[in-house]
Amino acid sequence: MKPFVYFDHAATTFPKPPVVMRAVSACLEEFCGNPGRSAHRIGLLSAKRVYEIRCQLAQFFGLSQPENLIFCANATWALNLVLQGVLHRGDRVLVSETEHNSVLRPLKALESRGVFTEVYPVIGLNDLSVLEEIRKRMTPRVRMIVANHVSNVTGRVLPVSNIGTIAREHHALFLVDGSQSAGVYPIHMKDMQIDYLCLAGHKSMFGMQGTGLCLIAPGAPIPQSMAQGGNGVLSLSLTMPEGMPEQFEPGTVNVPGIVSLGAGAGYIRKMTMEGIRNNISNCSRRCLEVLGNTRGIHLKTDENDENGYKGCTSVLSFVVEGLSPERVAAYLDENTICVRSGYHCAPLIHRSLQTLSGGTVRLSFSALNTVHDAEIFCQTIRSLTASGNG
Amino acid sequence: MEQYIIAFSSVTYANAGMAVLQNAGYPSRLIRLEASRTRNGCGFGVLTSGSRYKIRQLLRNAGVHYSDIFPAEADERR
């Protein structure tokens, strides 16, 4: 395959770090039995490894009870579990305008069950203003605040610690979608007063596709299960046994995927999140500089401010005058640069960004990108604009 | 030394219990429970040896819930 530049890590990080590939390969070769089912050495080894990684990941996210970490198929499944399993008729939910459809669509479906959603603005506001917008919407009917920690369109980092404080003050539950932030920005459930943390494993956690996590803080309401099935215990009972986490993990869990997540978390720990952010910033800064100074290109970013991450963005969007985002992405692909175009499954944000007519071109970076990648992109985008619409 | 089987509600809790006991120096092993040991079929436990009182105390202090603890029969002491 020709060398390529991959700037689509917000969709899925690719390729995975070698340590992740080696760990998955070792799992498939050495201990990938069915965990929690058979009692032979391979089955027990598999169960032990799954438990160790559950503990490792719980600690990674500041969750004191590893059994409250549920392995899911992806972030969407995790978010559905919380939203559909916790909210009831009459509940009101506050969501940011940067939310993904993995939050907005379940909430839309819940409307028919009497759950109301209200959106708080983010775009163009600094953190203090965002917090003020949330505060003024807080009523006793608000049961939950949802925050997309990092926007998958602009890279905006929401001040989740402060939002957690507001939720506590008003006795509301706090759900954080950490799909774009996990592995890049620190998340500590206890310190940030997060009740539910849902995230994808295949993005900046460097796990495989088909992995996601739902973490539930001690004391937060346990959702109602969405699915039932075998889980290796009390097989003669037709009722799904209660108890965390197996109550929410019917069927065989994705052992190679879980192993990939454990290895990904280990890689992040070794690299350090600060090191990862520095690497990302070096790439994004160069791209922002060129995009911001090229005639006919309009950046669609949203400045990060008081939360200490000013100048760092793992995701950025732009549009090119006279060219659809699809055409720009196709041109970049022809030149071996992989990016995403369109609406990025985030329908509300485009009104504020004024990109409803076609969405944006999105660049997203990871620890594996280099400044050289950014230079290749910059040369290519300059050649596109210089050639007059490619 | 007396050997015991601790029954847990899930393989996760069984692993958690085993980790607590092993960290405290108790030789422990994850096992699948005999059908006669569970009320509704299929379950996991930990085979260990030591003071029953101390085993209970360790698990309680660590917040690891178990459903039962009983002396291992001769054929269970593998």
Side-chain angles (χ1 to χ4, degrees), chain A residues 225 227-231 233-242 247 250, chain B residues 39-42:
Chain A
S225 296
Q228 289 77 38
N231 65 356
V233 293
L234 305 183
S235 299
L236 296 180
S237 169
L238 290 179
T239 309
M240 187 77 173
E242 288 190 1
Q247 178 183 353
Chain B
R39 270 165 291 176
N40 264 314
C42 299

Side-chain angles (χ1 to χ4, degrees), chain A residues 291-342:
Chain A
L291 290 168
N293 289 311
T294 304
R295 189 191 295 250
I297 290 182
H298 302 282
L299 280 168
K300 296 293 176 183
T301 56
D302 196 25
E303 189 89 345
N304 290 322
D305 55 14
E306 283 89 348
N307 55 36
Y309 299 120
K310 193 171 175 65
C312 176
T313 187
S314 51
V315 180
L316 66 87
S317 273
F318 65 95
V319 293
V320 180
E321 267 176 34
L323 280 178
S324 72
E326 307 302 335
R327 182 68 199 96
V328 175
Y331 177 84
L332 291 170
D333 186 45
E334 285 158 18
N335 289 277
T336 69
I337 299 169
C338 305
V339 302
R340 181 164 167 187
S341 55

Side-chain angles (χ1 to χ4, degrees), chain A residues 35-39 44 47-48 51 54 67 232-237 244-246, chain B residues 9-13 15-16 18-19 22 30-32 38 40-44 63:
Chain A
R37 302 296 192 273
S38 312
L44 294 181
K48 184 168 181 281
Y51 176 72
R54 203 185 292 277
E67 64 272 19
V233 293
L234 305 183
S235 299
L236 296 180
S237 169
M244 300 289 288
E246 278 84 353
Chain B
S9 59
S10 72
V11 74
T12 301
Y13 274 105
N15 267 300
M18 184 171 70
Q22 284 178 340
L30 192 65
I31 59 165
R32 208 169 147 82
T38 65
N40 264 314
C42 299
F44 283 86

Side-chain angles (χ1 to χ4, degrees), chain A residues 264-285:
Chain A
Y267 174 79
I268 293 161
R269 212 176 272 280
K270 192 172 171 196
M271 290 281 291
T272 76
M273 277 189 243
E274 194 182 359
I276 288 172
R277 284 197 304 278
N278 282 339
N279 197 61
I280 284 172
S281 292
N282 289 338
C283 293
S284 62
R285 225 186 334 258

Side-chain angles (χ1 to χ4, degrees), chain A residues 19-328:
Chain A
V19 67
V20 172
M21 294 188 241
R22 283 198 299 271
V24 173
S25 177
C27 165
L28 292 170
E29 285 178 36
E30 295 165 19
F31 62 89
C32 196
N34 199 323
R37 302 296 192 273
S38 312
H40 52 69
R41 66 197 63 211
I42 302 299
L44 294 181
L45 201 56
S46 179
K48 184 168 181 281
R49 194 71 194 106
V50 167
Y51 176 72
E52 287 166 352
I53 294 168
R54 203 185 292 277
C55 293
Q56 176 196 357
L57 293 170
Q59 190 185 37
F60 190 91
F61 293 111
L63 175 70
S64 59
Q65 295 181 351
E67 64 272 19
N68 280 19
L69 182 148
I70 301 160
F71 290 115
C72 302
N74 46 48
T76 299
W77 188 260
L79 287 159
N80 268 272
L81 175 62
V82 175
L83 295 169
Q84 303 214 39
V86 171
L87 296 171
H88 303 298
R89 181 173 294 280
D91 288 342
R92 188 171 281 274
V93 185
L94 296 187
V95 300
S96 76
E97 69 175 322
T98 64
E99 298 304 326
H100 190 273
N101 270 335
S102 53
V103 165
L104 297 172
R105 285 181 174 169
L107 286 174
K108 183 68 184 169
L110 280 166
E111 264 182 27
S112 63
R113 282 154 52 184
V115 174
F116 297 96
T117 300
E118 191 176 351
V119 178
Y120 58 89
V122 169
I123 302 301
L125 302 179
N126 64 23
D127 286 355
L128 285 176
S129 302
V130 171
L131 295 171
E132 194 46 47
E133 291 291 340
I134 295 172
R135 271 187 206 285
K136 72 186 185 195
R137 286 170 173 77
M138 293 305 294
T139 66
R141 296 276 300 276
V142 174
R143 176 115 193 277
M144 182 182 280
I145 305 175
V146 184
N148 186 5
H149 193 182
V150 170
S151 162
N152 69 317
V153 180
T154 65
R156 170 69 180 270
V157 184
L158 286 183
V160 287
S161 282
N162 305 89
I163 300 173
T165 302
I166 296 175
R168 276 288 174 280
E169 286 169 359
H170 292 82
H171 308 290
L173 298 167
F174 185 32
L175 164 61
V176 171
D177 178 357
S179 295
Q180 296 297 339
S181 57
V184 179
Y185 299 94
I187 305 177
H188 193 285
M189 288 185 73
K190 189 172 177 220
D191 292 353
M192 293 174 161
Q193 304 179 86
I194 298 169
D195 292 300
Y196 306 98
L197 173 64
C198 299
L199 57 103
H202 62 99
K203 300 180 191 284
S204 296
M205 290 300 294
F206 297 110
M208 285 161 54
Q209 289 157 334
T211 59
L213 299 178
C214 176
L215 299 92
I216 302 176
I222 300 297
Q224 210 168 2
S225 296
M226 288 198 299
Q228 289 77 38
N231 65 356
V233 293
L234 305 183
S235 299
L236 296 180
S237 169
L238 290 179
T239 309
M240 187 77 173
E242 288 190 1
M244 300 289 288
E246 278 84 353
Q247 178 183 353
F248 297 103
E249 294 175 351
T252 300
V253 294
N254 176 359
V255 178
I258 290 167
V259 166
S260 73
L261 264 177
Y267 174 79
I268 293 161
R269 212 176 272 280
K270 192 172 171 196
M271 290 281 291
T272 76
M273 277 189 243
E274 194 182 359
I276 288 172
R277 284 197 304 278
N278 282 339
N279 197 61
I280 284 172
S281 292
N282 289 338
C283 293
S284 62
R285 225 186 334 258
R286 180 64 185 138
C287 294
L288 281 169
E289 188 183 299
V290 169
L291 290 168
N293 289 311
T294 304
R295 189 191 295 250
I297 290 182
H298 302 282
L299 280 168
K300 296 293 176 183
T301 56
D302 196 25
E303 189 89 345
N304 290 322
D305 55 14
E306 283 89 348
N307 55 36
Y309 299 120
K310 193 171 175 65
C312 176
T313 187
S314 51
V315 180
L316 66 87
S317 273
F318 65 95
V319 293
V320 180
E321 267 176 34
L323 280 178
S324 72
E326 307 302 335
R327 182 68 199 96
V328 175

